[in-house]
Structures are given as structure tokens and as C-alpha cells.
Amino acid sequence: MSKARHVSETPATQFLKQNKVAYTEHTYDYVDHGGAGEAARQLGLDPHAVVKTLVMEDESAKPLIVVMHGDREVSTKNLARQAGLKKVEPCKPEVAQRHSGYQVGGTSPFGTRKKMPVWVEAEVLEYPVVYINGGRRGYLIGIDPKVLVTLLGAKGVSVALE
């Protein structure tokens, strides 16, 4: 098992502490474009239980967050339809960073700079624990995914591309 390094607080962990949410900390060596798959491999986790936080925008360039299994892609067409939007597309990295306050590769849905609507792949909510970015590259937190609903008002959608 990898030795957990202590990670200084991030806006995400501060937000979770303020809301008295329990989580576990998992650090790994960040690899550019390695994504959730690389994190899962290094930490010995189920890649389906490692979820990624994506910042996207609608037709009016309003940002939104999508939480998806690390080993699946998002169907933006299905997301737009289920979210009642005309169009959804990924933000450019620098735009995503401005909205979230996090570096791309270290984006957490918790403690974002701007409050954004959160959509989560419904199946993610069925897991007892998921591993999601804690607000820094190379840093995941293990957390009950229902916290996304209770704290962020996340809505479940089925938008994974098979």
C-alpha cells in the first residue's frame, strides 16, 4: 500500500471539513494526461470507482460540472438533453481553471471558486465510496458520493458513452 503523504489543505478539503464530511486521503505521482486511469493504477483502485471532475459549458458559456467514472467518456449530446440545455461542450483548460479555481488535472467539485450546477453519472451514486480529486494534482479523496447530492445539489444523469 502506498504511504499517504500529508497534503496541505485545499479549498475542497476546507469545504468538506466545514461541512463535517469524512474522507480519506490518497496521494500518487501525477502524470500529465494520465487521468483517473493512472491514479487508479498507482493506488490499486477500481478505475470505475475513481471519478473525474469535468468543467463544461452550455450554449450561453455558463459553466457546469460533470462527475463521471474515470474510465468513461461523457456524451455531451445526452447531457445537454437530460440537463435541458441546447448544447454542452468542454471548456478550454484556462476557462475551466478560471471557473473552478483549480489547476486542470487537480479539479475538485468541492470548494470551487464559482458555484456551478453539478451533474453526476447516476451509477457513481450507487458506490459506497468513490475516489475524487481533492483539489490538487496527484491527490484523491475517498468519499461517499451521496455528498455530491447533499452538499452540491448534484443531479444524477445517464450520460456515459459505452
Side-chain angles (χ1 to χ4, degrees), residues 13-69:
T13 57
Q14 288 171 338
F15 175 82
L16 293 169
K17 281 184 180 143
Q18 283 162 358
N19 287 282
K20 299 183 176 29
V21 173
Y23 60 88
T24 55
E25 298 183 290
H26 309 268
T27 55
Y28 64 98
D29 297 318
Y30 178 78
V31 175
D32 259 338
H33 308 294
E38 178 62 24
R41 190 188 66 73
Q42 285 190 38
L43 294 168
L45 300 168
D46 170 357
H48 215 56
V50 175
V51 296
K52 53 191 174 186
T53 304
L54 305 165
V55 181
M56 299 199 174
E57 58 189 19
D58 67 13
E59 66 279 359
S60 321
K62 284 200 178 70
L64 56 114
I65 285 177
V66 187
V67 176
M68 176 55 74
H69 295 290

Side-chain angles (χ1 to χ4, degrees), residues 83-95:
L85 301 166
K86 285 189 186 72
K87 182 175 112 187
V88 173
E89 60 187 9
C91 288
K92 288 186 175 65
E94 62 276 12
V95 175

Side-chain angles (χ1 to χ4, degrees), residues 74-85 88 157-161:
V74 173
S75 162
T76 52
K77 211 182 249 97
N78 286 346
L79 178 61
R81 198 174 61 239
Q82 292 179 40
L85 301 166
V88 173
V157 286
S158 295
V159 296
L161 284 174

